[in-house]
């Protein structure tokens, strides 16, 4: 597990990861989380004790395959209902601050 | 006649309604009175729409008078605030979902409605089901009805407290790593986490999609069997729900354990666990032996890695599942943003509580470039090993007996500054979610301080009848527990 | 210095399903904002995706059409990034196990054919649409969740013209496969273009830029025609190309770097826990392969062989699968495929383009066209009348023989009746007769015209011409004698 070896010297970059997650954190939060998460991540490394080289990953609790629906149109929600939940709207659209491309 | 909800079960309520000894409106009125009387202290509910509850009850009474049937016709139930109920709020105890009104019913909720259930109110929880004490609610702290200085467990703490505290006949919870079984154990009621895929998750606000399951929290095992029977089955809206026939669970409640082989996983009786918990569980095991079960020691060798595995997988999935809470389409939006990115940052900073933020960061981290293989992929592999452990032991026995939690309920505020300590308390429950199997929590005693202790019965996938039978037989033989004495 | 260009295309094609990829909302174009939405495609709490069977099938068919290997095991993954038009802030896509791997598309450039490699085809969901207002933006999620197939080419393309030819060939194949309408106006096909240049002799590729979201093939052509010299200019002047995302500005004809605040992309792909994998057996693949439509090129070759039509005709007819289908259905009912081809290539395509119509919507049937050709071949009507009949068929449909009967267009081949017209014409056109006798052969044509006029177009023109010729010869002998 080369990545983990590298990782032991790396600390979780809380500020960077929070940016990826689009989550503003106050400086005090960054500090608190840094300590707590380093502690937690340190504990998680426990799985590195295991030899996993010949083990297949499990991504689903049950083994299923080919679960399809037929290509049939079904009624959805009314626009009034949808807009009733919208924090802001403009001409039946969800309004957001101007997007810069 | 004077109705008391405090110890009333679903089956008793059905008998009263069928015998015309009371109406659903009367039942619901008594219940609403109890909520008004007690909930200021317990804080089990986040919202109760009294008028809506009464009108549902009236409709149920009318249906009954017209001769219509329904397995839960007129029975009031509480629902954890993580499940969508058409026309009701669904905050998941998070400020970020304030203002959201669900436009649809979760499938499990729709199935309850189809059988005539009355949906009374929405129960408190740890925000987005992240926590084991219900202290992480964005709105209030729920107290343990057996002793209000203590936590009710979590994340379905509101549901468990409502049932144990006499504010609900039964309730729905959800279980991602023990969130039904542990609060049921802490509050002294019954909690069932069905097999993954047994009940549709459609309409359950996802915390960790590959681990979440809906299940009942009830006053006895029979009620859990009734609710499971109503909600179980394949749903075309949930691709992960499984088309396995739903047996009549009530017929499996034979009252004995003759011919059953029960396993005691040695890794679940370890140093460091509360001796009172161990003693209570060992006594329960003896009772089961007395009921005709053969008890054998078994081993689940990868138990020690379960917490790491669970918290990697659960937080990774959660980091994606919670990305949708961005203030664009519903719920809370922070004011004064310059652009969408600024809006996300501000909305999520103000909308999420500390535990949710911690888990989003952890989950984002374990999926991020350069760390995926070391954490997420490895955890998925350990999951395979844990799953295999269970497959092996279930070739030797029909069910397993373990404690639900290594501790008895703790005082409110006791662990909130130490998240890892909180996580470690999930050691006996997360394994069932990782393996996708079913688990039941049944009260099995109390601590010297009068706080409840739970026995966990784990069963193979889609063999809920095994654990219901074992739990029911044990419960019948156990006798009444008088908490607080 | 000479520079070599390397181009790779990612083409997003909207599949021709009725409902969205993961929910039952309609994919119909042009609806009022947020009227084709539901909890699933709006990313509501608790909503879950369920795969559209036809979308998966269409993707596999597309792969088979271009010779991809169909994955026995394929799965969906979550691709995380935040954007207001993205309901869940992750897109359900496919990362390491796409439905189709490999394949190629054949193109012709200056008469030389070559193959452009395809790396993979995967299936994903579309996002919503942003509208920009003065001080804010608005999002319409009707398009969110529409099934998109992403076809990723190898960096095999070496010029803007090749890129253009690749897109045309790909579109033709997808239309043949019936998996997409490929309607560019409705945004059915959108391209991301990766492009880099390097000095001749340098082995490794230069730094590439990505031009995002081009929704016309001309746009791809023009953007590349701008971007390649731009990169060369930068390098020539000692500058450096930055790996960046650029946008094509149609109005000004330039590409410009996008002002996105996005950090280095970290999509955090992981398997979608809400969806089961797609497992396709060899039997299922073979079943689909057996029922696969012909490729445009194969069909062109077959038309030449089977219907003995010129290569040029076959090329025109097979350009559009619907035209090819129409031709083939008509030709099968006719003993004169070349005549069918002529009608389609001239009258039919002319009328279609005048009216901006699609051949799928015409009322004239292949049987009617075959019938019309038969009436001409059997000399029941002449070609003038045939044009009139075709015009009527095109307008109103119907049976050609019935139209001929109703309109009284049956060709007059009764020589007695024609002789009467000819006599009259010779008597009334003394000047033309003397011109003819004076050696001007064209003058006879004028007389033919007069006769045709008298017969209201119904006279058999060959018969008319031969009778006139005979009569004029007699006249000549008379005068000469």
């Amino acid at each position: 597990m080369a990545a983990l070896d590298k990782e032991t010297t790396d600390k979780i970059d809380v500020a960077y990861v929070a940016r990826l997650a689009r989550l503003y954190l106050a400086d005090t939060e960054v500090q608190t989380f840094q300590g707590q998460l380093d502690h937690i991540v340190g504990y998680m490394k426990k799985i590195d004790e295991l030899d996993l080289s010949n083990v297949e990953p499990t991504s689903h609790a049950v083994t299923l395959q080919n679960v399809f629906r037929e290509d049939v149109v079904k009624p959805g929600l009314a626009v009034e209902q949808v807009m009733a939940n919208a924090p802001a709207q403009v001409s039946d659209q969800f309004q957001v601050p101007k997007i810069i491309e | 006649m004077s109705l008391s909800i405090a110890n009333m079960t679903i089956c008793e309520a059905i008998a009263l309604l069928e015998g015309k000894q009371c109406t659903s409106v009367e039942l619901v009125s008594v219940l609403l009175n109890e909520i008004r009387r007690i909930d200021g202290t317990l804080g089990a509910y986040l919202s109760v729409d009294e008028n809506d509850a009464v009108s549902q009850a009236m409709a149920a009474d009318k249906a009954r008078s017209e001769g219509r049937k329904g397995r839960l016709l007129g029975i009031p139930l509480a629902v954890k605030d993580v499940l969508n109920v058409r026309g009701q709020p669904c905050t998941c105890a998070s400020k970020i979902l304030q203002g959201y009104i669900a436009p649809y019913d979760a499938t499990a909720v729709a199935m309850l409605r189809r059988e005539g259930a009355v949906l009374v109110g929405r129960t408190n929880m740890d925000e987005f089901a992240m926590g084991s004490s219900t202290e992480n609610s964005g709105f209030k702290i729920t107290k343990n009805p057996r002793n209000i200085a203590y936590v009710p467990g979590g994340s379905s703490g509101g549901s468990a407290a409502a049932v144990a505290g006499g504010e609900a006949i039964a309730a729905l919870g959800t279980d991602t790593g023990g969130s039904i079984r542990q609060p049921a154990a802490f509050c002294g009621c019954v909690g069932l986490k069905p097999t993954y895929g047994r009940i549709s998750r459609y309409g359950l606000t996802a915390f960790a999609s590959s681990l979440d399951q809906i299940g009942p929290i009830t006053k006895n095992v029979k009620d859990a069997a009734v609710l499971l029977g109503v909600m179980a089955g394949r749903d075309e809206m949930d691709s992960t729900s499984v088309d396995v026939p739903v047996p009549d669970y009530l017929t499996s409640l034979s009252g004995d354990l003759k011919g059953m082989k029960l396993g005691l996983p040695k890794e679940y009786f370890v140093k460091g666990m509360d001796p009172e918990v161990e003693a209570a569980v060992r006594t329960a095991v003896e009772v089961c032996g007395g009921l005709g079960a053969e008890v054998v020691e078994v081993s689940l060798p990868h138990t020690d890695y379960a917490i790491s595995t669970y918290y990697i997988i659960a937080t990774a999935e959660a980091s994606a599942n919670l990305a949708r809470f961005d203030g664009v389409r519903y719920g809370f939006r922070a004011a004064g943003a310059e652009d969408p990115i600024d809006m996300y940052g501000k909305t999520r900073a103000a909308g999420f509580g500390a535990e949710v933020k911690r888990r989003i960061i952890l989950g984002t981290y374990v999926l991020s470039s350069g760390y995926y293989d070391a954490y997420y992929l490895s955890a998925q592999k350990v999951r395979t090993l844990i799953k295999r452990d269970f497959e092996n032991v279930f070739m030797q026995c029909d069910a397993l007996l373990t404690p639900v939690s290594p501790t008895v309920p703790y005082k409110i505020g006791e662990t909130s500054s130490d998240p890892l300590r909180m996580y470690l308390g999930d050691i006996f429950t997360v394994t069932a979610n990782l393996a996708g199997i079913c688990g039941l929590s049944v009260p099995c005693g109390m601590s010297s301080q009068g706080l409840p202790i739970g026995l966990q019965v784990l069963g193979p996938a889609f063999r809920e009848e095994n654990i219901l039978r074992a739990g029911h037989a044990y419960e019948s033989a156990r006798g009444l527990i008088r908490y607080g004495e | 210095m000479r520079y070599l260009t390397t181009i790779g295309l990612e083409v997003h094609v909207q599949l021709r399903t009725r409902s969205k990829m993961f929910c039952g909302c309609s994919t119909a174009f042009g609806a009022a904002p947020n009227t084709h939405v539901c909890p699933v495609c709006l990313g509501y709490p608790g909503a879950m995706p369920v795969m559209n069977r036809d979308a998966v099938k269409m993707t596999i068919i597309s792969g088979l059409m271009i010779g991809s290997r169909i994955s026995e095991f394929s799965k969906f993954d979550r691709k995380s990034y935040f954007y207001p038009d993205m309901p869940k802030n992750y897109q359900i896509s496919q990362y390491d196990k796409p439905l189709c791997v490999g394949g190629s598309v054949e193109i012709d450039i200056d008469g030389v054919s070559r193959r452009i490699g395809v790396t993979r085809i995967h299936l994903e969901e579309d996002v919503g649409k942003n509208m920009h207002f003065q001080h804010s933006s608005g999002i319409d999620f009707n398009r969110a969740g529409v099934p998109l197939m992403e076809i990723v080419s190898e960096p095999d393309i070496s010029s803007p013209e090749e890129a253009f030819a690749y897109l045309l060939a790909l579109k033709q194949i997808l239309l043949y496969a019936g998996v997409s309408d490929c309607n560019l106006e409705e945004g059915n096909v959108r391209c991301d273009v990766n492009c880099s240049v390097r000095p001749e002799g340098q082995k490794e590729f230069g730094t590439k830029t990505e031009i995002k979201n081009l929704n016309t093939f001309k746009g791809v052509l023009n953007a590349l025609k701008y971007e390649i010299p731009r990169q060369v200019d930068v390098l020539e002047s000692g500058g450096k190309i930055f790996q960046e995302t650029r946008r094509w500005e149609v109005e000004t004809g330039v590409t410009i770097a996008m002002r996105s605040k996005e950090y280095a992309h970290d999509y955090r792909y992981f398997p979608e826990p809400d969806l089961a994998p797609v497992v396709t057996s060899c039997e299922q693949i073979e079943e689909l392969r057996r029922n696969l439509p012909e490729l445009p090129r194969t069909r062109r070759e077959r038309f030449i062989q089977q219907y003995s039509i010129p290569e040029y005709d076959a090329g025109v007819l097979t350009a559009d699968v619907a035209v090819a289908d129409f031709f083939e259905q008509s030709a099968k009912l006719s003993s004169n495929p070349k005549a069918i081809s002529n009608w389609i290539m001239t009258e039919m395509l002319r009328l279609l383009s005048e009216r901006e119509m699609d051949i799928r919507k015409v009322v004239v049937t292949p049987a009617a066209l075959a019938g019309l050709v038969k009436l001409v071949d059997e000399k029941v009507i002449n070609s003038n009348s045939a044009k009139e009949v075709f015009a009527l068929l095109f307008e109103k449909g119907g049976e050609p023989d019935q139209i001929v009967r109703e309109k009284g267009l049956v060709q007059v081949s009764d020589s007695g009746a024609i002789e009467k017209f000819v006599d009259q014409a010779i008597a009334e056109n003394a000047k033309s007769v003397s011109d003819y006798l004076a050696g001007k052969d064209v003058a006879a044509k004028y007389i033919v015209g007069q006769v045709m006029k008298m017969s209201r177009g119904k006279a058999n023109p060959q018969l008319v011409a031969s009778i006139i010729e005979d009569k004029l010869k007699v006249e000549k002998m008379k005068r000469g004698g």
Side-chain angles (χ1 to χ4, degrees):
Chain A
M1 294 261 99
L4 265 194
D5 295 342
K6 175 193 110 189
E7 228 285 314
T8 42
T9 58
D10 283 350
K11 276 173 64 173
I12 174 169
D13 184 345
V14 171
Y16 168 75
V17 175
R19 268 205 310 279
L20 265 183
R22 299 287 185 232
L23 189 58
Y24 286 170
L25 294 182
D27 291 346
T28 52
E29 278 180 306
V30 174
Q31 265 177 21
T32 313
F33 288 165
Q34 188 74 60
Q36 292 169 334
L37 290 168
D38 283 341
H39 190 192
I40 294 165
V41 167
Y43 177 80
M44 284 177 172
K45 286 194 172 59
K46 194 174 174 57
I47 57 172
D48 200 29
E49 295 167 5
L50 293 166
D51 176 9
L52 300 171
S53 44
N54 292 315
V55 184
E56 284 297 310
T58 294
S59 53
H60 294 79
V62 283
T63 315
L64 290 169
Q65 60 188 45
N66 299 338
V67 183
F68 295 113
R69 43 174 277 274
E70 301 309 318
D71 181 24
V72 175
V73 174
K74 289 193 174 156
L77 298 172
V79 66
E80 301 75 37
Q81 207 175 1
V82 168
M83 284 302 136
N85 263 323
Q89 56 169 298
V90 50
S91 312
D92 283 342
Q93 295 167 55
F94 296 91
Q95 188 177 36
V96 295
K98 200 165 174 77
I99 298 169
I100 300 145
E101 285 179 284
Chain B
M1 83 177 249
S2 125
L3 283 169
S4 165
I5 294 292
N7 295 307
M8 189 185 287
T9 64
I10 292 175
C11 295
E12 288 163 4
I14 290 170
L16 290 175
L17 291 167
E18 283 180 350
K20 306 220 185 310
Q21 287 165 277
C22 76
T23 63
S24 176
V25 170
E26 285 164 356
L27 215 51
V28 167
S29 304
V30 173
L31 186 56
L32 292 173
N33 271 331
E34 284 301 281
I35 294 172
R36 267 181 243 128
R37 191 174 67 83
I38 310 170
D39 206 53
T41 309
L42 284 189
Y45 284 92
L46 282 175
S47 62
V48 177
D49 186 338
E50 297 199 355
N51 292 333
D52 180 50
V54 171
S55 61
Q56 287 179 62
M58 285 168 71
D61 285 335
K62 185 162 175 285
R64 187 177 292 281
S65 73
E66 288 164 356
R68 273 185 280 154
K69 301 271 182 231
R71 282 185 279 175
L72 298 170
L73 191 54
I75 302 296
L77 296 172
V79 175
K80 188 178 180 182
D81 202 37
V82 75
L83 294 160
N84 282 267
V85 175
R86 192 188 172 91
Q88 294 188 9
C90 176
T91 67
C92 303
S94 181
K95 293 194 173 78
I96 210 158
L97 271 170
Q98 268 183 319
Y100 168 69
I101 300 295
Y104 74 106
D105 273 340
T107 300
V109 168
M111 290 173 104
L112 295 177
R113 276 201 210 269
R114 198 175 309 151
E115 296 296 338
V118 174
L119 307 172
V120 170
R122 310 189 53 80
T123 56
N124 196 22
M125 54 188 281
D126 287 300
E127 184 178 2
F128 286 110
M130 295 178 178
S132 317
S133 68
T134 316
E135 291 167 291
N136 298 327
S137 166
F139 301 114
K140 59 173 157 187
I141 286 176
T142 298
K143 300 181 177 93
N144 191 319
R146 311 297 180 188
N147 184 333
I148 59 167
Y150 289 78
V151 301
S155 67
S156 311
S159 288
V163 172
E167 291 186 83
I169 295 176
L172 293 195
T174 60
D175 191 313
T176 306
S179 281
I180 286 175
R181 290 161 287 160
Q182 184 257 22
F186 275 22
C187 292
C189 40
V190 169
L192 171 65
K193 181 209 98 75
T195 305
Y196 185 86
R198 180 74 288 187
I199 294 176
S200 168
R201 291 184 292 120
Y202 186 74
L204 154 60
T205 308
F207 157 17
S209 312
S210 78
L211 302 163
D212 295 340
Q213 260 296 289
I214 297 169
I217 294 179
T218 56
K219 287 175 183 141
N220 64 19
V221 175
K222 196 174 171 193
D223 279 6
V226 169
L227 289 180
L228 177 65
V230 170
M231 294 186 290
R234 155 107 180 112
D235 172 22
E236 60 178 23
M237 299 301 281
D238 174 0
S239 310
T240 66
S241 68
V242 185
D243 194 10
V244 172
V246 180
D248 179 357
Y249 293 110
L250 289 175
T251 61
S252 63
L253 308 181
S254 60
D256 65 56
L257 297 175
K258 287 192 188 80
M260 256 193 130
K261 211 163 166 185
L262 300 177
L264 288 190
K266 63 175 189 226
E267 293 81 5
Y268 284 60
F269 297 87
V270 287
K271 278 190 302 225
M273 69 187 286
D274 189 318
E276 289 188 315
V277 170
E278 179 164 3
V281 172
R282 291 218 183 263
T283 306
V285 171
E286 277 170 34
V287 172
C288 291
L291 288 164
E294 182 190 346
V295 179
V296 292
E297 188 178 86
V298 294
S299 173
L300 296 162
H302 296 94
T303 305
D304 237 10
Y305 305 96
I307 292 291
S308 302
T309 305
Y310 172 81
Y311 276 93
I312 291 169
I313 291 172
T315 59
E317 292 181 8
S319 72
N321 283 329
L322 270 58
R324 70 188 63 196
F325 304 109
D326 59 4
V328 174
R329 285 147 290 120
Y330 44 74
F332 166 76
R333 174 190 293 192
E338 289 167 17
D339 56 44
I341 292 171
D342 192 35
M343 184 179 85
Y344 299 148
K346 286 178 169 149
T347 298
R348 290 161 66 80
F352 291 136
E355 181 60 25
V356 173
K357 288 179 186 173
R358 203 154 33 229
R359 295 200 194 187
I360 289 175
I361 292 170
L362 190 54
T364 305
Y365 171 70
V366 297
L367 288 175
S368 65
S369 168
Y371 299 101
Y372 180 91
D373 286 3
Y375 292 107
Y376 190 72
L377 188 64
S378 295
Q380 282 192 322
K381 290 178 177 176
V382 183
R383 187 175 187 178
T384 305
L385 298 177
I386 291 170
K387 219 174 162 218
R388 220 179 273 165
D389 280 356
F390 279 102
E391 284 160 10
N392 289 338
V393 297
F394 284 131
M395 292 200 287
Q396 306 161 46
C397 54
D398 305 302
L400 304 175
L401 299 179
T402 82
V404 175
S405 165
T407 70
V408 293
Y410 30 85
K411 282 205 164 115
I412 290 168
E414 218 176 88
T415 56
S416 50
S417 65
D418 186 354
L420 183 57
R421 190 177 149 205
M422 176 84 91
Y423 298 172
L424 294 174
D426 299 337
I427 178 65
F428 300 146
T429 47
V430 295
T431 47
N433 302 79
L434 288 168
I437 61 169
C438 56
L440 180 71
S441 169
V442 186
C444 70
M446 60 180 173
S447 70
S448 50
Q449 287 161 299
L451 294 162
I453 295 170
L455 168 73
Q456 176 170 247
V457 191
L458 296 174
F462 299 102
R463 297 306 299 270
E464 278 79 2
E465 57 271 30
N466 290 12
I467 60 174
L468 290 168
R469 178 185 168 197
H472 172 257
Y474 164 71
E475 174 189 68
S476 310
R478 177 202 63 204
L480 198 63
I481 304 169
R482 297 174 185 282
Y483 297 104
E485 289 169 18
Chain C
M1 198 186 298
R2 269 174 53 93
Y3 285 84
L4 300 176
T5 302
T6 305
I7 299 164
L9 295 179
E10 290 164 20
V11 186
H12 302 260
V13 181
Q14 179 177 335
L15 292 171
R16 215 170 117 193
T17 55
R18 284 180 284 269
S19 66
K20 291 185 180 180
M21 183 63 225
F22 297 116
C23 64
C25 288
S26 166
T27 55
F29 180 78
N34 293 306
T35 52
H36 290 171
V37 292
C38 76
V40 176
C41 58
L42 282 175
Y44 265 39
M48 296 176 71
V50 186
M51 279 183 275
N52 185 326
R53 183 191 299 276
D54 286 3
V56 171
K57 189 173 152 195
M58 287 176 185
T59 305
I60 293 175
I61 289 174
S62 304
L64 290 173
M65 289 290 279
I66 62 162
S68 302
R69 186 169 55 72
I70 308 306
S71 306
E72 202 179 311
F73 177 93
S74 179
K75 69 178 173 70
F76 285 87
D77 300 274
R78 293 183 180 179
K79 177 184 183 181
S80 288
Y81 65 94
F82 284 75
Y83 210 80
D85 61 14
M86 183 119 94
K88 302 179 293 292
N89 288 316
Y90 61 80
Q91 181 186 30
I92 303 178
S93 182
Q94 300 195 278
Y95 180 52
D96 56 344
K97 300 278 180 196
L99 281 164
C100 313
V101 179
S104 66
V105 172
E106 202 170 347
I107 60 167
D108 287 320
I109 289 285
D110 303 327
V112 181
S113 113
R114 61 175 294 232
R115 288 189 170 276
I116 304 297
V118 167
T119 315
R120 56 187 272 160
I121 307 179
H122 69 252
L123 190 51
E124 60 186 28
E125 53 178 346
D126 206 346
V127 297
K129 216 165 116 185
N130 309 314
M131 305 288 275
H132 300 297
F133 300 100
Q134 200 179 355
H135 300 295
S136 67
S137 298
I139 327 278
D140 168 14
F141 287 101
N142 283 347
R143 210 175 65 187
V146 163
L148 286 186
M149 175 167 71
E150 182 173 331
I151 304 168
V152 183
S153 86
E154 292 286 319
D156 280 356
I157 302 167
S158 55
S159 71
E161 290 73 22
E162 280 191 3
F164 189 72
Y166 168 80
L167 290 169
L168 287 180
L170 190 61
K171 177 183 168 187
Q172 199 186 25
I173 292 169
L174 298 175
L175 285 172
Y176 262 68
V179 298
S180 174
D181 292 329
C182 291
N183 188 331
L184 297 171
E185 285 75 37
E186 294 181 4
N188 288 175
V189 185
R190 305 193 297 271
C191 310
D192 296 340
V193 179
N194 289 293
C195 147
S196 67
V197 298
R198 66 181 196 275
E200 198 169 32
Q202 182 184 311
K203 264 205 163 151
E204 59 277 11
F205 292 152
T207 305
K208 68 179 180 185
T209 61
E210 183 179 25
I211 311 166
K212 273 231 182 265
N213 227 353
L214 293 157
N215 50 20
T216 64
F217 295 174
K218 270 272 183 297
V220 172
L221 182 71
N222 293 333
L224 282 168
K225 279 183 173 168
Y226 172 85
E227 179 65 10
I228 294 161
R230 184 193 73 83
Q231 291 191 10
V232 170
D233 284 351
V234 170
L235 294 179
E236 288 278 285
S237 58
K240 215 178 136 208
I241 303 293
F242 294 99
Q243 183 156 354
E244 62 189 359
T245 304
R246 300 178 71 84
R247 189 179 59 206
W248 170 242
E249 296 262 284
V250 187
E251 303 80 25
T252 48
V254 299
T255 65
I256 53 171
M258 285 171 77
R259 244 179 77 203
S260 172
K261 270 206 226 166
E262 189 55 67
Y263 323 103
H265 285 300
D266 189 339
Y267 290 129
R268 286 160 280 142
Y269 281 102
F270 73 100
E272 169 56 273
D274 286 336
L275 292 173
V278 178
V279 176
T280 315
S281 68
C282 295
E283 293 75 33
Q284 287 169 308
I285 294 169
E286 286 318 309
E287 172 72 23
L288 287 172
R289 201 194 297 281
R290 266 197 299 280
N291 297 312
L292 218 51
E294 229 171 347
L295 278 170
R297 286 175 167 267
T298 321
R299 199 168 198 187
R300 195 176 71 195
E301 296 309 314
R302 186 168 60 78
F303 276 11
I304 297 169
Q305 299 297 322
Q306 187 173 342
Y307 299 109
S308 308
I309 56 172
E311 189 176 341
Y312 174 78
D313 288 32
V316 173
L317 292 171
T318 54
D320 178 342
V321 63
V323 173
D325 286 344
F326 194 99
F327 166 76
E328 183 139 39
Q329 285 163 28
S330 305
K332 280 194 171 144
L333 301 169
S334 174
S335 55
N336 189 355
K338 173 59 183 151
I340 301 282
S341 164
N342 290 344
W343 277 107
I344 293 174
M345 294 205 306
T346 55
E347 290 302 294
M348 178 82 94
L349 293 180
R350 181 178 61 76
L351 286 168
L352 287 174
S353 94
E354 273 174 23
R355 318 244 168 129
E356 293 185 352
M357 264 176 74
D358 190 300
I359 198 165
R360 291 172 188 84
K361 306 218 167 80
V362 295
V363 290
V364 44
T365 63
L369 179 57
L372 180 62
V373 166
K374 190 171 177 231
L375 290 175
V376 176
D377 287 351
E378 293 178 351
K379 303 196 183 345
V380 177
I381 55 173
N382 63 36
S383 59
N384 280 333
S385 301
K387 274 188 189 160
E388 196 180 331
V389 174
F390 185 85
L392 286 165
L393 286 172
F394 193 88
E395 292 306 327
K396 295 182 180 132
E399 299 300 326
D401 40 5
Q402 198 184 338
I403 293 172
V404 166
R405 251 181 285 123
E406 278 170 15
K407 297 275 165 185
L409 294 172
V410 176
Q411 182 163 261
V412 178
S413 299
D414 167 358
S415 48
I418 292 175
E419 262 180 68
K420 271 185 202 161
F421 289 132
V422 171
D423 290 344
Q424 192 185 339
I426 288 177
E428 284 171 6
N429 293 284
K431 168 106 174 55
S432 298
V433 175
S434 16
D435 284 352
Y436 177 83
L437 296 177
K440 285 189 188 166
D441 286 353
V442 240
K445 290 229 168 99
Y446 178 76
I447 300 169
V448 172
Q450 293 303 304
V451 172
M452 291 306 288
K453 216 171 179 181
M454 287 170 192
S455 74
R456 279 183 285 132
K458 290 183 289 184
N460 179 332
Q462 284 89 28
L463 198 53
V464 170
S466 90
I467 290 174
I468 287 175
E469 203 173 316
D470 291 349
K471 294 243 172 198
L472 287 176
K473 271 181 192 156
V474 173
E475 196 69 16
K476 193 173 187 176
M477 280 193 284
K478 267 197 235 166
R479 294 197 189 182

